[in-house]
Amino acid sequence: MEANQSPPRKRPRRDRNREKASFLNSAEAMKLDIWSEFPEDLFETVIARLPVAAIFRFRSVCRKWCSLVGSDNFSQQYSEVPQGMPWFYTITHENGNNNVAMYDPSLNKWHHPSVPLAPANIVMPVASAGGLVCLLDLSHRNFYICNPLTQSLKEIPPRSVQAWSRVSVGMVLNGRSSNEGYKVMWLRNDGNHEVYDSVQNMWSQPGEFPPSIKLPLALNFRSQPVAVGSTLYFMCSEPEGVLSYDVSTGIWIHFIIPLPLHLTDHTLAEFQGKIMLVGLLCKNAATCVCIWELQKMTLLWKEVDRMPNIWCLEFYGKHMRMTCLGNSGLLMLSLKAKRMNRLVMYNLVSKEWQKVPDCMLPCSRKKQWIACGTAFGPCPSASP
Amino acid sequence: MAATPADASSSSSEAVVGGEKSNKMITLISSDGESFEATEEAAKMSVTIKHMIEDGCADDGIPLPNVPAKILSMVIEYCNKHAADADDTNKHVADPADADEDDDNNNNNASAGEKEDLKSFDASLVAVDQATLFDIILAANFLSIKGLLDLACQKVADDIKDKSVEEVREIFKIENDFTKEEEEAVRKENAWAFNE
């Protein structure tokens, strides 16, 4: 022991007593009778602050708590609580069914809704906004909007254009929450596009595609568009870049942005209003996942992070494909090679990479291969 | 802490947000007759007290028959801390001359540290025994102090989040008014949220 080492400082008594009190608090598990006097009208304030899974679990407490989720006051309270990380919504199509799984980052767990998804046809999640997820069937014609937490679902009128070609779909809110309505937009390579307005419950063609932008587009269908406010950003190539459309003004802007070299799979992502790029970098058999941020002044991608080397070693020499499921604040990446499917999460706020537990079907203990999905901000009261 | 007159006049281009800050002290009297002093600014964090001040009922001190001294002193401590924070935020936002990026960063760094302090203050305020927490909630509800009420309710939420449905019913003495079929249906619909 060094000569000049001072004795450890004792924490002030007040602090120690407080700590003791809080330990007792949790051990005693709220057994005092006072809680029976808890003001009825404050239950909503408490419940809105529970983790999402707990909110739904406690619906079984009594009739009042069950219907709370639908009340305006609860909806208001919930919107005031700072939201945590988005969840991920995925659908796999084993046995010709829609098997839904939702990843909850706060519990690091996959949830499997108990009630089967309503549409009889196979659907894929393509976009989300305000806690609602937009599903599209394989024909790219029929759209459904659902709240994954309550499994309430609504089919919206099919789009008017009859052809079967692929579309890129984006979704934005009209206001701060889904209560004020939302819009869904699809865009095709020939410039054809339509916007669905939930308030009017109809599709409309808001305008002509601007002649100054070269057609046909080469939309990257593996990259979901990202939404920042009322603007949607689509990834495209030939020339490489990003196409933006502001749903409220109808203005199109084409940004020509060269992609980083050696990039294979890549998708757009969004973080605090910034446009990001997530991609698989393959150079000399070494594969790595990288994150870039769009520099608005120069219209160049600047690398801001990459997957730790030690993780990338697993992919060395393998032919990898990457799908990005979540693209707002929290990324979920599905990295596939022959006989290998890794799920990885990247938190854009904390810049942390994390392995995601395998998704297992509830009854079969069989690992799911996650193919498609979207991130969504869980919102118990969002109604399609 | 209220802004002193010197601060307010330091920059002629500074826009003063929210009107003048008075140094007036308000007396609050607990249920057990103890008197506490608080700045008007801090006291106004309570919407109830704010209305009383505006209606001119505050001159001889405001009696609060529902709030015991121990709780009132904690409430005032909360209001003092958060009124100061709100004041700082207004100051940083109010001055257009401070709008260049460097200043912005400095302001953000300063307020980031302050935010951390405020967070740990809030956490220790509600890390108390159940009876005290309950009293804080009742006081914050009666006094309409939204921030404190939300904070205390968040603590309750944290304490019950891992409990079972039956335990929650027991704690709040809530009657299970579902019919057997209803309860089964609700459980089934929300089965995903239970520990599988």
Side-chain angles (χ1 to χ4, degrees):
Chain A
M1 194 152 119
E2 286 166 74
N4 56 357
Q5 192 176 49
S6 51
R9 192 175 70 84
K10 258 193 161 169
R11 270 199 311 263
R13 175 162 298 188
R14 189 163 145 269
D15 280 356
R16 283 185 284 134
N17 276 347
R18 273 208 169 142
E19 269 191 27
K20 196 167 146 206
S22 66
F23 174 76
L24 269 180
N25 196 20
S26 53
E28 276 178 8
M30 300 182 68
K31 290 214 165 73
L32 295 187
D33 283 341
I34 47 169
W35 295 107
S36 61
E37 307 290 315
F38 192 77
E40 289 270 318
D41 54 348
L42 290 183
F43 278 129
E44 273 160 349
T45 311
V46 171
I47 295 171
R49 286 164 173 78
L50 286 167
V52 174
I55 294 176
F56 282 87
R57 212 165 69 238
F58 290 160
R59 293 187 74 197
S60 306
V61 166
C62 65
R63 282 180 177 164
K64 183 175 169 219
W65 284 41
C66 190
S67 58
L68 223 57
V69 159
S71 88
D72 286 340
N73 188 31
F74 174 82
S75 180
Q76 174 65 27
Q77 290 279 353
Y78 187 82
S79 69
E80 289 170 7
V81 180
Q83 285 314 303
M85 294 185 283
W87 288 23
F88 298 104
Y89 183 82
T90 75
I91 300 186
T92 55
H93 301 120
E94 299 248 325
N95 309 321
N97 294 327
N98 290 315
N99 303 310
V100 177
M102 303 188 289
Y103 178 71
D104 175 354
S106 72
L107 295 177
N108 194 28
K109 249 183 97 166
W110 286 96
H111 298 299
H112 299 270
S114 14
V115 177
L117 201 55
N121 41 348
I122 297 291
V123 288
M124 304 168 298
V126 288
S128 90
L132 296 173
V133 173
C134 178
L135 307 168
L136 185 59
D137 72 354
L138 292 179
S139 72
H140 283 245
R141 248 196 99 225
N142 299 300
F143 291 82
Y144 306 83
I145 308 288
C146 88
N147 180 344
L149 302 176
T150 59
Q151 292 132 56
S152 59
L153 185 128
K154 172 175 117 170
E155 180 171 358
I156 65 182
R159 61 188 179 103
S160 43
V161 178
Q162 295 301 314
W164 270 45
S165 45
R166 286 189 86 166
V167 291
S168 206
V169 181
M171 190 170 173
V172 296
L173 291 179
N174 290 342
R176 277 192 55 229
S177 83
S178 63
N179 291 338
E180 297 167 65
Y182 54 87
K183 295 195 171 69
V184 176
M185 171 180 176
W186 62 259
L187 172 65
R188 234 167 45 179
N189 276 334
D190 61 1
N192 245 298
H193 58 282
E194 266 192 321
V195 175
Y196 168 81
D197 182 337
S198 71
V199 175
Q200 317 221 315
N201 192 31
M202 56 180 241
W203 292 94
S204 63
Q205 304 208 289
E208 293 293 312
F209 194 78
S212 55
I213 300 179
K214 195 188 108 187
L215 287 174
L217 301 168
L219 292 168
N220 179 345
F221 292 112
R222 283 177 62 92
S223 167
Q224 264 175 39
V226 300
V228 179
S230 61
T231 306
L232 289 168
Y233 295 86
F234 300 87
M235 179 125 238
C236 46
S237 43
E238 298 161 29
E240 289 166 356
V242 170
L243 186 59
S244 81
Y245 178 70
D246 186 334
V247 176
S248 53
T249 60
I251 295 182
W252 292 92
I253 307 181
H254 193 194
F255 300 94
I256 307 212
I257 311 168
L259 283 175
L261 296 172
H262 311 292
L263 202 59
T264 57
D265 294 328
H266 54 279
T267 78
L268 284 179
E270 176 269 329
F271 169 57
Q272 293 176 350
K274 294 183 276 213
I275 306 294
M276 317 288 285
L277 178 71
V278 184
L280 213 53
L281 214 56
C282 291
K283 202 170 161 190
N284 303 331
T287 308
C288 184
V289 179
C290 293
I291 318 281
W292 292 265
E293 185 183 315
L294 180 64
Q295 305 295 291
K296 286 211 176 118
M297 298 306 290
T298 57
L299 286 188
L300 290 172
W301 295 109
K302 176 177 158 209
E303 187 178 318
V304 290
D305 205 354
R306 54 169 65 193
M307 187 183 264
N309 256 327
I310 209 163
W311 290 27
C312 301
L313 286 176
E314 205 185 2
F315 312 131
Y316 191 89
K318 298 198 170 86
H319 175 63
M320 302 292 305
R321 296 302 321 256
M322 182 185 86
T323 325
C324 182
L325 292 154
N327 59 4
S328 178
L330 197 64
L331 305 177
M332 182 182 283
L333 307 170
S334 166
L335 293 154
K336 276 202 197 132
K338 211 157 141 182
R339 287 193 300 265
M340 183 173 86
N341 182 196
R342 289 279 172 272
L343 285 173
V344 164
M345 209 163 73
Y346 177 71
N347 187 326
L348 285 157
V349 176
S350 61
K351 295 192 185 264
E352 282 172 347
W353 295 87
Q354 202 181 316
K355 295 213 160 97
V356 177
D358 290 333
C359 176
M360 310 287 242
L361 263 185
C363 306
S364 76
R365 312 309 299 156
K366 192 176 161 198
K367 186 177 128 167
Q368 291 285 285
W369 289 63
I370 307 293
C372 64
T374 185
F376 72 102
C379 183
S381 24
S383 169
Chain B
M1 271 161 288
T4 64
D7 288 349
S9 58
S10 62
S11 156
S12 56
S13 62
E14 185 174 39
V16 178
V17 175
E20 282 180 9
K21 305 265 187 306
S22 75
N23 282 333
K24 190 165 167 215
M25 300 301 280
I26 305 284
T27 306
L28 303 168
I29 306 161
S30 70
S31 59
D32 30 6
E34 234 183 281
S35 282
F36 295 85
E37 294 257 295
T39 63
E40 184 174 323
E41 201 197 326
K44 278 184 169 181
M45 289 209 70
S46 153
V47 176
T48 309
I49 292 178
K50 179 166 179 274
H51 288 160
M52 284 173 147
I53 293 175
E54 285 165 358
D55 290 347
C57 309
D59 298 331
D60 297 328
I62 302 180
L64 301 169
N66 303 18
V67 190
K70 172 184 166 194
I71 303 297
L72 186 53
S73 76
M74 293 172 86
V75 169
I76 292 174
E77 215 187 327
Y78 174 89
C79 292
N80 282 335
K81 281 265 180 173
H82 282 259
D85 175 63
D87 188 32
D88 284 344
T89 312
N90 284 343
K91 267 199 193 152
H92 290 148
V93 165
D95 192 338
D98 272 347
D100 64 59
E101 206 179 283
D102 274 340
D103 259 3
D104 236 16
N105 284 337
N106 286 339
N107 287 345
N108 282 341
N109 286 339
S111 54
E114 280 161 17
K115 291 263 183 276
E116 275 306 306
D117 283 341
L118 210 59
K119 265 177 86 173
S120 48
F121 168 79
D122 282 354
S124 65
L125 190 71
V126 289
V128 292
D129 61 85
Q130 295 175 51
T132 308
L133 180 65
F134 188 81
D135 286 342
I136 292 176
I137 290 177
L138 292 184
N141 195 25
F142 167 68
L143 293 170
S144 281
I145 306 174
K146 185 166 171 25
L148 181 57
L149 186 58
D150 287 350
L151 173 66
C153 285
Q154 178 70 66
K155 179 69 171 64
V156 175
D158 292 343
D159 286 344
I160 65 171
K161 69 180 193 243
D162 293 324
K163 302 215 180 293
S164 71
V165 169
E166 289 75 19
E167 283 174 316
V168 168
R169 286 188 193 131
E170 253 183 68
I171 292 169
F172 296 106
K173 304 280 187 291
I174 296 175
E175 195 199 317
N176 177 4
D177 54 354
F178 286 123
T179 65
K180 195 156 175 290
E181 294 78 24
E182 278 173 353
E183 190 173 354
E184 247 180 69
V186 174
R187 282 224 176 211
K188 185 164 175 229
E189 191 187 312
N190 300 293
W192 64 265
F194 288 80
N195 283 326
E196 290 141 337

